[in-house]
Amino acid sequence: MKLRKVTAASAAVLALSLAATACGGNDDDSSSSGSGGGGKVKVGIKYDQPGLGLKKPDGSFAGFDVDVATYVAKELGYKPDQIEFVETKSADRENALARGDVKYIVATYSITDERKQKVDFAGPYLLAHQDLLVKKDSKISKGTDLNGKNLCSVTGSTSAQNVQKTIAPKANLKQVSSYSECIAGLQSGAVDAVTTDDSILAGFASQDQYKGKFKLAGLKLSNENYGIGVKKGDTATVDKINKALEKMVSDGSWQKAVDANFGPADYNNEPAPKIGQLVK
């Protein structure tokens, strides 16, 4: 009889425990869901690229990639206060997606065959080209004009080597740790030109302290198809982002973002690319 009483009491405790569990809420913030609701979405961007992805001193974010990322999040069902921007450096982009640190990445992320082995891409959403940034009164317009000139790029970049290999083998290459250093060198006269993607160069040139001082040479030394990186196999999110990008172009928001972020540098941007069509 005593055994039955203990068993009954245990059953009652178990029932109460199960009921409490059923009534309790789920603490998951749904940061990797794609449905908005009460959760958040984590988006990878650059923090140090003016005109593209920049974290400002007040903690806010600005740039073309930020505008694209925000528009896409809205179409996925998220409000502005549900977006959490995460700094995603170039070397860690694939790992950040694989780990689930972010839902998608909008960070001057060129679509390449090698990268497509590790991640899926929506887009492209911008076609950029390798170019040169020079002073406004510079006569540099062709790569051969760089022979004997000081050319700046960041350490490890393939852009400067590409210039030396293809059009200006006698250019004096100066490699520094950041493009900000290159731009400062261009302003002071320490270097004659800076090379990387034209979108990145236009972003730097659009900063208030540089407006009207620099220009793009207009060379098209490579084709860079910027895509939005998504975890490998997440085709549902890729499809949703592609639809969002198509809408951004059709309603005029894409061109508005280009003008706002690159306009001061007189950036002669390519038309919005077609989804799934890469320019080789």
Side-chain angles (χ1 to χ4, degrees), residues 2 34 57 81 116 135 137 144 183-184 188 190 192 201 224 230 251 254 261 266 271 274-275:
K2 184 177 181 181
D81 62 358
K116 286 194 292 184
K135 283 191 173 182
D137 59 356
T144 52
I183 302 299
S188 69
D192 301 296
L201 296 172
E224 307 296 334
V230 177
D251 68 14
W254 183 90
N261 292 293
D266 296 325
K274 300 295 184 181
I275 298 300

Side-chain angles (χ1 to χ4, degrees), residues 1-2 8 10 37 51 62 69 85 90 129 148 152 154 173 176 197 226 229 252 269:
M1 188 70 178
K2 184 177 181 181
S10 298
F85 289 118
S90 296
H129 307 284
C152 190
V154 299
L173 175 59
V176 296
D197 294 359
Y226 289 174
N269 66 282

Side-chain angles (χ1 to χ4, degrees), residues 108-200:
T108 58
Y109 204 178
S110 296
I111 302 172
T112 66
D113 290 338
E114 181 181 0
R115 289 171 177 164
K116 286 194 292 184
Q117 300 301 313
K118 300 177 182 179
V119 304
D120 285 338
F121 283 99
Y125 66 92
L126 184 71
L127 174 61
H129 307 284
Q130 184 188 339
D131 201 353
L132 302 175
L133 188 70
V134 296
K135 283 191 173 182
K136 196 75 172 181
D137 59 356
S138 174
K139 296 181 180 180
I140 294 175
S141 59
K142 297 180 181 180
T144 52
D145 293 334
L146 279 173
N147 283 318
K149 303 291 186 180
N150 294 323
L151 175 66
C152 190
S153 193
V154 299
T155 302
S157 169
T158 59
S159 299
Q161 285 86 349
N162 186 35
V163 171
Q164 282 188 315
K165 182 179 179 180
T166 59
I167 56 178
K170 295 182 180 180
N172 301 318
L173 175 59
K174 293 183 177 295
Q175 298 185 84
V176 296
S177 61
S178 70
Y179 286 113
S180 295
E181 291 182 60
C182 282
I183 302 299
L186 183 61
Q187 183 181 33
S188 69
V191 300
D192 301 296
V194 181
T195 186
T196 186
D197 294 359
D198 54 7
S199 60
I200 297 174

Side-chain angles (χ1 to χ4, degrees), residues 42-44 86-105 109 119 229-231:
K42 294 181 179 179
V43 183
V86 178
E87 183 176 22
T88 312
K89 296 183 178 180
S90 296
D92 194 45
R93 288 180 295 204
E94 287 82 15
N95 290 332
L97 289 169
R99 291 191 303 260
D101 295 347
V102 294
K103 181 70 173 176
Y104 57 91
I105 293 175
Y109 204 178
V119 304
V230 177
K231 187 174 183 179

